[in-house]
Amino acid sequence: MRPIPTALYICYLFLCTCAPDPAPSYQLPEGMEWGLEKGQPVGYVDNSNKYGGFRLDLTQDSARLYQPFLDHSEKYPAYAADSTARFPDSLYFTYQVEGDSSLHAVIRSPDGGRWEHRYAPVAKLESYPLPKTVAGRTYLLDLNDSPMLLRFPEERVGPNGKIMAADVVLLASLADRRAEFGTFGMSLLDPETGVLKAYYRIRPQDDGSLRHSILLVTGDGDGGAQAYQLLDDDTQRTVAGPFPLAPYASVVPSTVTEADLIDLLNRGRVEVEKVTAEPDSVGIRYEYEEPFRTSGGIVAEELASLDFEFREDNTYYAFAGDRLISTGRWKLSYDRNFITLYSPGYTGGGAKLIQRFGPDEIAFPFTVMIETAEPKGVELLSYYEAEVMLHFRDPAR
């Protein structure tokens, strides 16, 4: 066999490496969903110009552009055609699949509007309705070493009957069951889809900025729960997940009753650990002195004199020395993870994660309004909301 001349060999390589890309196709792959990579929706404007997370559900003749984490959806008649094609509809969608498996699309309106989009194949969101068994329970979700709890309070009675909600609780530490102060987020169940969209604040960044994120909380199809997350960075929004939700075990045994808790809470000595330090400026609030005092405001020196009374009729009273600073109703949550305090008109209320429990102790947080050490207002009294950890210990045990 004679060797190929060098010039012919170079020509052969040139023809092989410079072959044209595969021609665009108008045949849609089956079962495919597409993520928006370039362009923006017609009826939704984001001031940050971030449209990651938008998805396209496309058939041969219909296109639905939607954002599963938001209440936004756009639907158009769709045509397999190149970007120069024209059709009589008032607003329509043309598409073609490129050789690199991306999808090029153009949306046109009769007034000359033109929106050009590019999509990439993405895995479908496996979203199922949340099972009713999650009601009243708490689940752990650990996102990139950032643990949080999703608490599903007992089904609440609304104008149309029972509804389900979720509270998002960021954990400052997974090891000692301590929730971050003031990081609760909440959402309600969408009755049509059976899923929850939970909005919450991400921990402050190194530069001090605050960011938010959204969880899409769904069933996993096998009786459990899962979540997808919409991640928001400096340039784009992306979807991550699904992440499994693991049941969060309580430290309070199922044999312990509310009557047992009342006995321990009233018999035990209260030790108060201050968790929140006085802020420099952000977080300082102002109020006239009389409303501040009548709403339960205290000075820092009164923390040592905090005392509580819990009664069998599920009412409670909080005192600073002899002065009543909070009153309301209390109950142990269905899954025994939280003590819930209802105190209309007073501070200190909400669902309090039980940090520690034993035969002779129980610990959970409480919220108080504390006057600043030095006045920061001119006519108004300056104060801040602080979290304290209450340790009830039985000195006789």
Side-chain angles (χ1 to χ4, degrees), residues 70-108:
L70 305 171
D71 296 323
H72 186 81
S73 178
E74 303 174 359
K75 196 168 185 178
Y76 316 98
Y79 298 94
D82 62 37
S83 61
T84 62
R86 301 284 183 144
F87 297 92
D89 302 85
S90 59
L91 190 65
Y92 59 90
F93 186 101
T94 61
Y95 63 88
Q96 62 188 46
V97 181
E98 303 291 350
D100 61 358
S101 297
S102 66
L103 185 137
H104 177 243
V106 173
I107 302 173
R108 290 184 182 275

mmCIF file of all heavy atoms in Angstrom, residues 70-108:
data_model
loop_
_atom_site.group_PDB
_atom_site.id
_atom_site.type_symbol
_atom_site.label_atom_id
_atom_site.label_comp_id
_atom_site.label_asym_id
_atom_site.label_seq_id
_atom_site.Cartn_x
_atom_site.Cartn_y
_atom_site.Cartn_z
ATOM 1 N N LEU A 70 -42.703 30.476 41.339
ATOM 2 C CA LEU A 70 -43.494 31.697 41.379
ATOM 3 C C LEU A 70 -44.864 31.426 40.758
ATOM 4 O O LEU A 70 -45.065 30.423 40.085
ATOM 5 C CB LEU A 70 -42.799 32.828 40.607
ATOM 6 C CG LEU A 70 -41.363 33.165 41.031
ATOM 7 C CD1 LEU A 70 -40.753 34.132 40.047
ATOM 8 C CD2 LEU A 70 -41.352 33.764 42.436
ATOM 9 N N ASP A 71 -45.777 32.318 40.971
ATOM 10 C CA ASP A 71 -47.110 32.167 40.385
ATOM 11 C C ASP A 71 -47.141 32.863 39.030
ATOM 12 O O ASP A 71 -47.827 33.870 38.837
ATOM 13 C CB ASP A 71 -48.180 32.751 41.325
ATOM 14 C CG ASP A 71 -48.245 31.985 42.638
ATOM 15 O OD1 ASP A 71 -48.079 30.760 42.602
ATOM 16 O OD2 ASP A 71 -48.460 32.612 43.680
ATOM 17 N N HIS A 72 -46.371 32.330 38.086
ATOM 18 C CA HIS A 72 -46.339 32.929 36.749
ATOM 19 C C HIS A 72 -46.283 31.839 35.690
ATOM 20 O O HIS A 72 -45.492 30.900 35.786
ATOM 21 C CB HIS A 72 -45.144 33.860 36.579
ATOM 22 C CG HIS A 72 -45.168 34.593 35.264
ATOM 23 N ND1 HIS A 72 -45.930 35.723 35.075
ATOM 24 C CD2 HIS A 72 -44.563 34.323 34.081
ATOM 25 C CE1 HIS A 72 -45.778 36.134 33.830
ATOM 26 N NE2 HIS A 72 -44.951 35.297 33.205
ATOM 27 N N SER A 73 -47.148 31.983 34.668
ATOM 28 C CA SER A 73 -47.202 31.032 33.575
ATOM 29 C C SER A 73 -47.696 31.755 32.327
ATOM 30 O O SER A 73 -48.585 32.604 32.391
ATOM 31 C CB SER A 73 -48.147 29.873 33.927
ATOM 32 O OG SER A 73 -48.244 28.969 32.855
ATOM 33 N N GLU A 74 -47.092 31.440 31.182
ATOM 34 C CA GLU A 74 -47.488 32.010 29.893
ATOM 35 C C GLU A 74 -47.673 30.858 28.905
ATOM 36 O O GLU A 74 -46.841 29.953 28.830
ATOM 37 C CB GLU A 74 -46.412 32.959 29.354
ATOM 38 C CG GLU A 74 -46.076 34.092 30.290
ATOM 39 C CD GLU A 74 -44.910 34.944 29.808
ATOM 40 O OE1 GLU A 74 -44.345 34.631 28.733
ATOM 41 O OE2 GLU A 74 -44.572 35.916 30.502
ATOM 42 N N LYS A 75 -48.759 30.916 28.128
ATOM 43 C CA LYS A 75 -49.040 29.836 27.179
ATOM 44 C C LYS A 75 -49.285 30.413 25.792
ATOM 45 O O LYS A 75 -49.959 31.437 25.646
ATOM 46 C CB LYS A 75 -50.248 29.024 27.643
ATOM 47 C CG LYS A 75 -50.374 27.672 26.953
ATOM 48 C CD LYS A 75 -51.407 26.800 27.652
ATOM 49 C CE LYS A 75 -51.446 25.414 27.034
ATOM 50 N NZ LYS A 75 -52.414 24.523 27.709
ATOM 51 N N TYR A 76 -48.711 29.752 24.777
ATOM 52 C CA TYR A 76 -48.812 30.230 23.399
ATOM 53 C C TYR A 76 -49.089 29.064 22.456
ATOM 54 O O TYR A 76 -48.674 27.928 22.727
ATOM 55 C CB TYR A 76 -47.488 30.871 22.938
ATOM 56 C CG TYR A 76 -46.838 31.785 23.926
ATOM 57 C CD1 TYR A 76 -45.801 31.328 24.738
ATOM 58 C CD2 TYR A 76 -47.240 33.109 24.046
ATOM 59 C CE1 TYR A 76 -45.190 32.168 25.648
ATOM 60 C CE2 TYR A 76 -46.628 33.952 24.957
ATOM 61 C CZ TYR A 76 -45.605 33.479 25.755
ATOM 62 O OH TYR A 76 -44.999 34.313 26.656
ATOM 63 N N PRO A 77 -49.731 29.342 21.321
ATOM 64 C CA PRO A 77 -49.721 28.346 20.241
ATOM 65 C C PRO A 77 -48.296 28.235 19.719
ATOM 66 O O PRO A 77 -47.567 29.229 19.645
ATOM 67 C CB PRO A 77 -50.663 28.937 19.200
ATOM 68 C CG PRO A 77 -50.728 30.393 19.498
ATOM 69 C CD PRO A 77 -50.513 30.537 20.968
ATOM 70 N N ALA A 78 -47.858 27.027 19.405
ATOM 71 C CA ALA A 78 -46.465 26.792 19.014
ATOM 72 C C ALA A 78 -46.391 26.181 17.620
ATOM 73 O O ALA A 78 -47.258 25.396 17.214
ATOM 74 C CB ALA A 78 -45.785 25.878 20.025
ATOM 75 N N TYR A 79 -45.345 26.559 16.899
ATOM 76 C CA TYR A 79 -45.118 26.056 15.538
ATOM 77 C C TYR A 79 -43.661 25.652 15.395
ATOM 78 O O TYR A 79 -42.756 26.368 15.833
ATOM 79 C CB TYR A 79 -45.437 27.128 14.494
ATOM 80 C CG TYR A 79 -46.882 27.568 14.505
ATOM 81 C CD1 TYR A 79 -47.271 28.683 15.252
ATOM 82 C CD2 TYR A 79 -47.851 26.883 13.783
ATOM 83 C CE1 TYR A 79 -48.595 29.098 15.274
ATOM 84 C CE2 TYR A 79 -49.180 27.295 13.800
ATOM 85 C CZ TYR A 79 -49.543 28.402 14.547
ATOM 86 O OH TYR A 79 -50.847 28.808 14.562
ATOM 87 N N ALA A 80 -43.431 24.494 14.789
ATOM 88 C CA ALA A 80 -42.080 24.067 14.451
ATOM 89 C C ALA A 80 -41.663 24.823 13.197
ATOM 90 O O ALA A 80 -42.147 24.538 12.096
ATOM 91 C CB ALA A 80 -42.040 22.560 14.217
ATOM 92 N N ALA A 81 -40.774 25.800 13.330
ATOM 93 C CA ALA A 81 -40.381 26.644 12.194
ATOM 94 C C ALA A 81 -39.159 27.449 12.581
ATOM 95 O O ALA A 81 -38.823 27.571 13.763
ATOM 96 C CB ALA A 81 -41.531 27.575 11.796
ATOM 97 N N ASP A 82 -38.483 28.014 11.576
ATOM 98 C CA ASP A 82 -37.338 28.862 11.891
ATOM 99 C C ASP A 82 -37.809 30.248 12.315
ATOM 100 O O ASP A 82 -39.004 30.562 12.286
ATOM 101 C CB ASP A 82 -36.360 28.939 10.712
ATOM 102 C CG ASP A 82 -36.992 29.546 9.470
ATOM 103 O OD1 ASP A 82 -37.797 30.481 9.609
ATOM 104 O OD2 ASP A 82 -36.669 29.080 8.366
ATOM 105 N N SER A 83 -36.845 31.090 12.699
ATOM 106 C CA SER A 83 -37.189 32.374 13.298
ATOM 107 C C SER A 83 -37.784 33.377 12.323
ATOM 108 O O SER A 83 -38.303 34.401 12.730
ATOM 109 C CB SER A 83 -35.941 32.984 13.953
ATOM 110 O OG SER A 83 -34.939 33.201 12.974
ATOM 111 N N THR A 84 -37.734 33.084 11.033
ATOM 112 C CA THR A 84 -38.292 34.021 10.046
ATOM 113 C C THR A 84 -39.734 33.701 9.691
ATOM 114 O O THR A 84 -40.372 34.478 8.970
ATOM 115 C CB THR A 84 -37.443 33.999 8.760
ATOM 116 O OG1 THR A 84 -37.492 32.677 8.185
ATOM 117 C CG2 THR A 84 -35.993 34.365 9.069
ATOM 118 N N ALA A 85 -40.221 32.577 10.168
ATOM 119 C CA ALA A 85 -41.581 32.164 9.803
ATOM 120 C C ALA A 85 -42.617 33.081 10.430
ATOM 121 O O ALA A 85 -42.427 33.610 11.522
ATOM 122 C CB ALA A 85 -41.816 30.722 10.238
ATOM 123 N N ARG A 86 -43.740 33.253 9.723
ATOM 124 C CA ARG A 86 -44.840 34.099 10.206
ATOM 125 C C ARG A 86 -46.121 33.289 10.239
ATOM 126 O O ARG A 86 -46.391 32.492 9.329
ATOM 127 C CB ARG A 86 -45.022 35.311 9.301
ATOM 128 C CG ARG A 86 -43.802 36.221 9.179
ATOM 129 C CD ARG A 86 -43.640 37.061 10.416
ATOM 130 N NE ARG A 86 -42.535 38.001 10.328
ATOM 131 C CZ ARG A 86 -42.537 39.207 10.840
ATOM 132 N NH1 ARG A 86 -43.610 39.632 11.486
ATOM 133 N NH2 ARG A 86 -41.471 39.984 10.749
ATOM 134 N N PHE A 87 -46.938 33.553 11.282
ATOM 135 C CA PHE A 87 -48.199 32.836 11.429
ATOM 136 C C PHE A 87 -49.277 33.825 11.845
ATOM 137 O O PHE A 87 -48.985 34.906 12.378
ATOM 138 C CB PHE A 87 -48.050 31.706 12.456
ATOM 139 C CG PHE A 87 -47.063 30.658 12.038
ATOM 140 C CD1 PHE A 87 -45.727 30.746 12.412
ATOM 141 C CD2 PHE A 87 -47.464 29.597 11.251
ATOM 142 C CE1 PHE A 87 -44.804 29.793 12.023
ATOM 143 C CE2 PHE A 87 -46.543 28.630 10.852
ATOM 144 C CZ PHE A 87 -45.223 28.728 11.231
ATOM 145 N N PRO A 88 -50.548 33.491 11.617
ATOM 146 C CA PRO A 88 -51.625 34.473 11.806
ATOM 147 C C PRO A 88 -52.029 34.720 13.251
ATOM 148 O O PRO A 88 -52.795 35.643 13.521
ATOM 149 C CB PRO A 88 -52.784 33.857 11.025
ATOM 150 C CG PRO A 88 -52.536 32.387 11.073
ATOM 151 C CD PRO A 88 -51.048 32.228 11.007
ATOM 152 N N ASP A 89 -51.574 33.935 14.210
ATOM 153 C CA ASP A 89 -51.995 34.114 15.605
ATOM 154 C C ASP A 89 -51.540 35.474 16.135
ATOM 155 O O ASP A 89 -50.549 36.049 15.677
ATOM 156 C CB ASP A 89 -51.396 33.014 16.472
ATOM 157 C CG ASP A 89 -51.790 31.632 15.998
ATOM 158 O OD1 ASP A 89 -51.092 31.119 15.092
ATOM 159 O OD2 ASP A 89 -52.759 31.086 16.519
ATOM 160 N N SER A 90 -52.269 35.968 17.130
ATOM 161 C CA SER A 90 -51.927 37.271 17.697
ATOM 162 C C SER A 90 -50.605 37.214 18.459
ATOM 163 O O SER A 90 -49.822 38.153 18.461
ATOM 164 C CB SER A 90 -53.049 37.753 18.625
ATOM 165 O OG SER A 90 -53.243 36.816 19.675
ATOM 166 N N LEU A 91 -50.329 36.099 19.131
ATOM 167 C CA LEU A 91 -49.085 35.923 19.866
ATOM 168 C C LEU A 91 -48.727 34.455 19.750
ATOM 169 O O LEU A 91 -49.514 33.585 20.128
ATOM 170 C CB LEU A 91 -49.275 36.326 21.332
ATOM 171 C CG LEU A 91 -48.021 36.427 22.205
ATOM 172 C CD1 LEU A 91 -47.110 37.548 21.724
ATOM 173 C CD2 LEU A 91 -48.402 36.666 23.666
ATOM 174 N N TYR A 92 -47.561 34.146 19.210
ATOM 175 C CA TYR A 92 -47.239 32.749 18.956
ATOM 176 C C TYR A 92 -45.757 32.483 19.168
ATOM 177 O O TYR A 92 -44.934 33.397 19.295
ATOM 178 C CB TYR A 92 -47.659 32.332 17.544
ATOM 179 C CG TYR A 92 -47.009 33.128 16.444
ATOM 180 C CD1 TYR A 92 -45.799 32.730 15.884
ATOM 181 C CD2 TYR A 92 -47.615 34.287 15.939
ATOM 182 C CE1 TYR A 92 -45.200 33.466 14.870
ATOM 183 C CE2 TYR A 92 -47.029 35.020 14.925
ATOM 184 C CZ TYR A 92 -45.812 34.604 14.403
ATOM 185 O OH TYR A 92 -45.221 35.330 13.409
ATOM 186 N N PHE A 93 -45.430 31.178 19.201
ATOM 187 C CA PHE A 93 -44.118 30.680 19.588
ATOM 188 C C PHE A 93 -43.609 29.775 18.471
ATOM 189 O O PHE A 93 -44.277 28.817 18.080
ATOM 190 C CB PHE A 93 -44.304 29.885 20.891
ATOM 191 C CG PHE A 93 -43.067 29.385 21.561
ATOM 192 C CD1 PHE A 93 -42.548 30.042 22.659
ATOM 193 C CD2 PHE A 93 -42.437 28.214 21.142
ATOM 194 C CE1 PHE A 93 -41.423 29.547 23.322
ATOM 195 C CE2 PHE A 93 -41.326 27.731 21.784
ATOM 196 C CZ PHE A 93 -40.812 28.395 22.883
ATOM 197 N N THR A 94 -42.431 30.083 17.910
ATOM 198 C CA THR A 94 -41.814 29.194 16.923
ATOM 199 C C THR A 94 -40.538 28.611 17.519
ATOM 200 O O THR A 94 -39.865 29.248 18.334
ATOM 201 C CB THR A 94 -41.466 29.952 15.627
ATOM 202 O OG1 THR A 94 -40.534 30.997 15.912
ATOM 203 C CG2 THR A 94 -42.722 30.545 14.992
ATOM 204 N N TYR A 95 -40.206 27.392 17.122
ATOM 205 C CA TYR A 95 -39.064 26.722 17.736
ATOM 206 C C TYR A 95 -38.357 25.819 16.738
ATOM 207 O O TYR A 95 -38.938 25.369 15.735
ATOM 208 C CB TYR A 95 -39.525 25.879 18.934
ATOM 209 C CG TYR A 95 -40.464 24.757 18.567
ATOM 210 C CD1 TYR A 95 -39.975 23.500 18.205
ATOM 211 C CD2 TYR A 95 -41.848 24.944 18.560
ATOM 212 C CE1 TYR A 95 -40.843 22.475 17.857
ATOM 213 C CE2 TYR A 95 -42.707 23.929 18.212
ATOM 214 C CZ TYR A 95 -42.214 22.689 17.858
ATOM 215 O OH TYR A 95 -43.064 21.678 17.501
ATOM 216 N N GLN A 96 -37.099 25.565 17.025
ATOM 217 C CA GLN A 96 -36.323 24.565 16.309
ATOM 218 C C GLN A 96 -35.236 24.042 17.238
ATOM 219 O O GLN A 96 -34.683 24.782 18.053
ATOM 220 C CB GLN A 96 -35.706 25.132 15.032
ATOM 221 C CG GLN A 96 -34.727 26.263 15.253
ATOM 222 C CD GLN A 96 -34.306 26.918 13.951
ATOM 223 O OE1 GLN A 96 -35.141 27.218 13.098
ATOM 224 N NE2 GLN A 96 -33.008 27.144 13.807
ATOM 225 N N VAL A 97 -34.943 22.749 17.136
ATOM 226 C CA VAL A 97 -33.920 22.117 17.961
ATOM 227 C C VAL A 97 -32.586 22.215 17.232
ATOM 228 O O VAL A 97 -32.458 21.779 16.087
ATOM 229 C CB VAL A 97 -34.269 20.647 18.248
ATOM 230 C CG1 VAL A 97 -33.192 20.014 19.132
ATOM 231 C CG2 VAL A 97 -35.629 20.545 18.933
ATOM 232 N N GLU A 98 -31.590 22.819 17.901
ATOM 233 C CA GLU A 98 -30.279 22.994 17.293
ATOM 234 C C GLU A 98 -29.461 21.704 17.362
ATOM 235 O O GLU A 98 -29.809 20.760 18.080
ATOM 236 C CB GLU A 98 -29.518 24.122 18.012
ATOM 237 C CG GLU A 98 -30.243 25.453 18.030
ATOM 238 C CD GLU A 98 -30.322 26.105 16.657
ATOM 239 O OE1 GLU A 98 -29.646 25.607 15.730
ATOM 240 O OE2 GLU A 98 -31.054 27.102 16.502
ATOM 241 N N GLY A 99 -28.362 21.690 16.613
ATOM 242 C CA GLY A 99 -27.525 20.506 16.575
ATOM 243 C C GLY A 99 -26.891 20.154 17.899
ATOM 244 O O GLY A 99 -26.527 18.995 18.142
ATOM 245 N N ASP A 100 -26.723 21.140 18.808
ATOM 246 C CA ASP A 100 -26.144 20.871 20.125
ATOM 247 C C ASP A 100 -27.201 20.508 21.166
ATOM 248 O O ASP A 100 -26.938 20.535 22.366
ATOM 249 C CB ASP A 100 -25.334 22.071 20.596
ATOM 250 C CG ASP A 100 -26.193 23.334 20.744
ATOM 251 O OD1 ASP A 100 -27.402 23.278 20.435
ATOM 252 O OD2 ASP A 100 -25.645 24.376 21.156
ATOM 253 N N SER A 101 -28.403 20.184 20.702
ATOM 254 C CA SER A 101 -29.547 19.772 21.537
ATOM 255 C C SER A 101 -30.202 20.925 22.278
ATOM 256 O O SER A 101 -31.139 20.708 23.050
ATOM 257 C CB SER A 101 -29.144 18.689 22.554
ATOM 258 O OG SER A 101 -28.715 17.530 21.882
ATOM 259 N N SER A 102 -29.718 22.159 22.072
ATOM 260 C CA SER A 102 -30.432 23.303 22.638
ATOM 261 C C SER A 102 -31.628 23.623 21.752
ATOM 262 O O SER A 102 -31.763 23.100 20.636
ATOM 263 C CB SER A 102 -29.502 24.513 22.746
ATOM 264 O OG SER A 102 -29.123 24.963 21.454
ATOM 265 N N LEU A 103 -32.500 24.473 22.270
ATOM 266 C CA LEU A 103 -33.704 24.832 21.528
ATOM 267 C C LEU A 103 -33.730 26.336 21.322
ATOM 268 O O LEU A 103 -33.564 27.100 22.287
ATOM 269 C CB LEU A 103 -34.946 24.356 22.286
ATOM 270 C CG LEU A 103 -36.285 24.552 21.570
ATOM 271 C CD1 LEU A 103 -37.158 23.316 21.721
ATOM 272 C CD2 LEU A 103 -37.030 25.763 22.110
ATOM 273 N N HIS A 104 -33.888 26.752 20.082
ATOM 274 C CA HIS A 104 -33.977 28.171 19.747
ATOM 275 C C HIS A 104 -35.440 28.496 19.489
ATOM 276 O O HIS A 104 -36.138 27.772 18.776
ATOM 277 C CB HIS A 104 -33.122 28.477 18.510
ATOM 278 C CG HIS A 104 -33.212 29.899 18.070
ATOM 279 N ND1 HIS A 104 -33.721 30.289 16.849
ATOM 280 C CD2 HIS A 104 -32.873 31.046 18.708
ATOM 281 C CE1 HIS A 104 -33.661 31.606 16.750
ATOM 282 N NE2 HIS A 104 -33.155 32.085 17.864
ATOM 283 N N ALA A 105 -35.924 29.560 20.090
ATOM 284 C CA ALA A 105 -37.334 29.912 19.954
ATOM 285 C C ALA A 105 -37.493 31.411 19.805
ATOM 286 O O ALA A 105 -36.650 32.192 20.260
ATOM 287 C CB ALA A 105 -38.123 29.430 21.172
ATOM 288 N N VAL A 106 -38.575 31.803 19.158
ATOM 289 C CA VAL A 106 -38.924 33.208 18.992
ATOM 290 C C VAL A 106 -40.410 33.360 19.283
ATOM 291 O O VAL A 106 -41.235 32.587 18.804
ATOM 292 C CB VAL A 106 -38.605 33.719 17.575
ATOM 293 C CG1 VAL A 106 -39.144 35.135 17.385
ATOM 294 C CG2 VAL A 106 -37.104 33.694 17.323
ATOM 295 N N ILE A 107 -40.748 34.351 20.113
ATOM 296 C CA ILE A 107 -42.142 34.695 20.380
ATOM 297 C C ILE A 107 -42.423 36.006 19.643
ATOM 298 O O ILE A 107 -41.658 36.964 19.748
ATOM 299 C CB ILE A 107 -42.411 34.863 21.877
ATOM 300 C CG1 ILE A 107 -42.046 33.576 22.631
ATOM 301 C CG2 ILE A 107 -43.871 35.216 22.144
ATOM 302 C CD1 ILE A 107 -42.117 33.716 24.135
ATOM 303 N N ARG A 108 -43.518 36.038 18.875
ATOM 304 C CA ARG A 108 -43.877 37.232 18.112
ATOM 305 C C ARG A 108 -45.264 37.715 18.509
ATOM 306 O O ARG A 108 -46.146 36.921 18.825
ATOM 307 C CB ARG A 108 -43.871 36.944 16.613
ATOM 308 C CG ARG A 108 -42.488 36.705 16.016
ATOM 309 C CD ARG A 108 -42.591 36.527 14.502
ATOM 310 N NE ARG A 108 -41.299 36.258 13.893
ATOM 311 C CZ ARG A 108 -40.430 37.179 13.529
ATOM 312 N NH1 ARG A 108 -40.739 38.458 13.717
ATOM 313 N NH2 ARG A 108 -39.279 36.848 12.968
#
